[in-house]
Amino acid sequence: MPFRQRTQIKRFIHKSFSRLGQAKGYFDLKKSQWLARPKLKKIQEKKLRNIIKHAYNNVEYYHALFKSLNLHPTDVKNVDDLCKIPILTRLQIQKDPEKIIAHDADRKRCITSRTSGSTGRPLVLTFDDDALINRGSRSLRHFFESGCHLNDKIVRFTSPSRSLRSRTHTPWFNQLGFLRRKHLSVLDKIDNNISSLLAYSPDVIEGYPSTLWLIANTVQDKQIEGINPRIVCCTAELLPQDVRKKINSAFEVELFDQYGSVEFGTFAWECQEHNGYHMDIESVVVEFLRNGENVSPEEKGEIVVSGLFNLAMPLIRYSLGDIGRFSTERCSCGRGLPLMKIIDGRTDDFLVLPSGTIISPRNINLLEYVDGIAAYRIVQKERDKLEVQVVADSGFSPETISRTRDRILRGCLGEDIEINVEIVDEIPRDISGKMRSVVSEVKKTSTTQSG
Ligand SMILES: [Zn+2]
């Protein structure tokens, strides 16, 4: 049998096992969400002890850290003991990701993903099979618990690389009419995306709040009829109240928000009662800190997460940079999963182009695919003038600058924009203390049209 064919069969078998694993994981999670809180905590802490022991034995960074603190894995028995371990930052991973990868990880079976989320700090992450299966199972739970059905037609707004992949690959279950998902690119013109929505007539729309806000705005302004999803799911960005209202009113729809990160996937989500975000505590530990100390329940603090699944690259007490609080409220749905509230998070600015078109920050926030960039920020000075501050890493070359320009110009829909790239030592934080990667200093007064 030719090598290519053998590889394809292997890939098919691997994918099938992975899908079966996701389905099994989903049925386990579907049940466990209703367990009593103490039982859920027991499951969580058992997994926590496992990952701490694994990290100590197999990950250079944690082994050295524990040794330097005279700490042994048996000293971390429960969530309260986690405070003995210092916080891990994105910068630490960026400096030397290899130190956080377990030496027993089977690299051939791992997936590496280069990403920046919305922080402007590209990062290379490694995920093993179990981590990906766990993510898949959790997203199935979020999906079905929002009231979505197996035979729903779904439109998902994604970055261009994902939408391209989906155009060339259709999973077998799609052909049977299950989880039919059409990917639309956030870089396409709003009018084109609206035409696709009208033609496909989805039951569910998933996407970034900034993208969905632009579509909702146009639908209302132009009084477009015929887009009638039953459910809209928002993810990956903070969802301000006015954006929620706009999407609700444009589509007359129930909106479900989800919270997560590229490192852990979605791990907190709204149920049909909308009392806050249920945390997936079978898969993560979420803490809320101020000045390095755990705050009391209901007090706001920096969100710090420990993942319980990814043995290839365990992230323990990893700071996400957002602000939230643990809610003591019991959700009226009766689930045992505790609630959190999100106070403040990653928010980038919309941009107004010279033609008056408004674009989502997602259109240009794609520099993680450009080699040589350790961190960046894009500042719009005038409608036709962008300044890109770049912290260079060892892979930086003159090509880095031309690729950065190309990427951004593509997102600006072919409009005539001057782009200046400046190399800096450090990206300063905003006055608010936040790290934003897309900032606009242009007033958006006379602009209503988009795409
Ligand atoms: Zn609930």
Side-chain angles (χ1 to χ4, degrees):
M1 190 185 292
F3 176 74
R4 193 157 166 248
Q5 213 171 339
R6 260 198 336 257
T7 313
Q8 277 175 342
I9 291 173
K10 267 190 196 167
R11 210 174 281 159
F12 176 77
I13 293 171
H14 181 248
K15 273 207 163 160
S16 302
F17 272 109
S18 175
R19 302 264 187 226
L20 283 174
Q22 281 180 23
K24 185 191 175 302
Y26 160 66
F27 285 111
D28 290 344
L29 291 173
K30 185 175 158 65
K31 263 193 229 159
S32 64
Q33 64 184 331
W34 302 101
L35 292 174
R37 186 80 53 85
K39 209 155 190 184
L40 278 163
K41 216 161 172 205
K42 219 171 156 185
I43 295 172
Q44 182 190 43
E45 293 188 333
K46 188 177 173 198
K47 288 180 186 162
L48 177 65
R49 287 191 291 274
N50 282 346
I51 200 135
I52 297 280
K53 191 174 159 197
H54 165 80
Y56 175 80
N57 288 330
N58 299 288
V59 180
E60 187 185 339
Y61 167 79
Y62 289 108
H63 193 82
L65 182 71
F66 275 51
K67 284 276 177 199
S68 71
L69 297 167
N70 208 13
L71 200 64
H72 191 266
T74 52
D75 296 326
V76 184
K77 292 188 176 64
N78 52 44
V79 170
D80 292 340
D81 289 335
L82 266 177
C83 63
K84 295 172 187 171
I85 305 172
I87 303 299
L88 175 67
T89 64
R90 199 175 179 101
L91 198 58
Q92 281 169 291
I93 303 181
Q94 241 190 341
K95 270 187 193 157
D96 197 350
E98 282 298 314
K99 273 193 177 165
I100 302 175
I101 297 177
H103 61 66
D104 65 344
D106 182 354
R107 297 292 188 102
K108 278 189 206 145
R109 296 176 67 100
C110 287
I111 300 259
T112 46
S113 159
R114 190 174 162 87
T115 174
S116 74
S118 53
T119 61
R121 286 192 172 275
L123 189 67
V124 180
L125 298 165
T126 299
F127 300 100
D128 59 29
D129 270 351
D130 283 350
L132 296 172
I133 287 172
N134 173 259
R135 265 180 191 237
S137 305
R138 281 188 283 137
S139 65
L140 285 173
R141 175 162 76 178
H142 313 146
F143 179 80
F144 289 121
E145 295 307 312
S146 315
C148 299
H149 305 145
L150 200 58
N151 59 351
D152 277 341
K153 284 199 287 178
I154 307 149
V155 158
R156 178 180 276 184
F157 286 94
T158 53
S159 66
S161 54
R162 172 61 81 86
S163 49
L164 187 70
R165 219 166 36 234
S166 68
R167 268 176 224 155
T168 54
H169 173 71
T170 308
W172 58 267
F173 49 82
N174 280 183
Q175 287 154 16
L176 297 177
F178 298 140
L179 298 173
R180 288 162 296 169
R181 193 170 263 142
K182 184 179 178 65
H183 290 256
L184 297 181
S185 167
V186 295
L187 294 196
D188 275 352
K189 291 195 168 189
I190 299 291
D191 286 343
N192 293 349
N193 278 335
I194 287 178
S195 301
S196 299
L197 288 171
L198 285 165
Y200 191 64
S201 187
D203 305 295
V204 180
I205 301 178
E206 302 172 329
Y208 309 114
S210 57
T211 309
L212 297 179
W213 181 87
L214 282 173
I215 289 183
N217 212 24
T218 309
V219 163
Q220 278 195 328
D221 279 355
K222 296 186 177 174
Q223 300 182 332
I224 296 168
E225 290 184 3
I227 304 174
N228 305 304
R230 200 176 70 252
I231 289 168
V232 168
C233 296
C234 285
T235 187
E237 288 171 0
L238 190 75
L239 178 69
Q241 273 310 317
D242 56 335
V243 174
R244 183 188 280 267
K245 271 189 197 158
K246 169 68 80 181
I247 298 170
N248 270 336
S249 66
F251 300 119
E252 295 175 11
V253 78
E254 187 169 10
L255 191 154
F256 290 85
D257 192 26
Q258 301 171 345
Y259 175 72
S261 70
V262 289
E263 295 83 354
F264 304 103
T266 296
F267 59 82
W269 46 280
E270 288 184 308
C271 71
Q272 291 178 338
E273 303 294 327
H274 301 280
N275 285 325
Y277 298 73
H278 284 289
M279 292 179 275
D280 288 337
I281 64 167
E282 311 99 324
S283 308
V284 289
V285 177
V286 186
E287 296 174 273
F288 302 88
L289 308 187
R290 193 184 308 136
N291 301 325
E293 305 265 318
N294 276 286
V295 295
S296 307
E298 301 293 353
E299 269 186 62
K300 62 180 185 180
E302 183 191 339
I303 300 172
V304 168
V305 181
S306 303
L308 304 177
F309 270 90
N310 193 13
L311 296 183
M313 191 180 202
L315 301 181
I316 298 166
R317 300 202 93 207
Y318 179 78
S319 170
L320 289 183
D322 295 335
I323 304 294
R325 65 182 166 86
F326 181 90
S327 171
T328 50
E329 202 179 320
R330 298 298 293 227
C331 186
S332 43
C333 70
R335 286 180 178 83
L337 299 172
L339 293 172
M340 66 176 279
K341 303 270 165 104
I342 294 149
I343 312 290
D344 202 358
R346 295 149 275 170
T347 47
D348 286 325
D349 290 341
F350 287 87
L351 305 186
V352 190
L353 301 180
S355 66
T357 299
I358 306 177
I359 58 163
S360 155
R362 290 273 160 188
N363 276 45
I364 57 169
N365 196 2
L366 292 163
L367 300 187
E368 64 263 36
Y369 303 114
V370 180
D371 285 334
I373 295 181
Y376 65 87
R377 177 157 67 182
I378 303 164
V379 184
Q380 185 181 32
K381 294 285 183 186
E382 315 267 344
R383 282 190 179 195
D384 61 351
K385 193 172 173 189
L386 296 178
E387 277 187 16
V388 189
Q389 299 161 330
V390 167
V391 178
D393 72 14
S394 56
F396 186 87
S397 71
E399 264 191 20
T400 305
I401 294 181
S402 55
R403 284 198 183 144
T404 298
R405 282 207 181 98
D406 290 348
R407 277 272 166 196
I408 295 175
L409 278 176
R410 217 177 125 201
C412 290
L413 310 172
E415 295 208 18
D416 191 12
I417 310 271
E418 180 188 336
I419 297 170
N420 298 313
V421 181
E422 184 194 359
I423 311 299
V424 296
D425 292 333
E426 198 183 344
I427 304 289
R429 282 178 180 267
D430 287 0
I431 299 166
S432 64
K434 281 189 285 192
M435 289 292 285
R436 288 193 298 165
S437 47
V438 180
V439 179
S440 177
E441 296 176 357
V442 176
K443 276 195 174 172
K444 303 171 193 62
T445 44
S446 59
T447 50
T448 51
Q449 197 227 337
S450 48

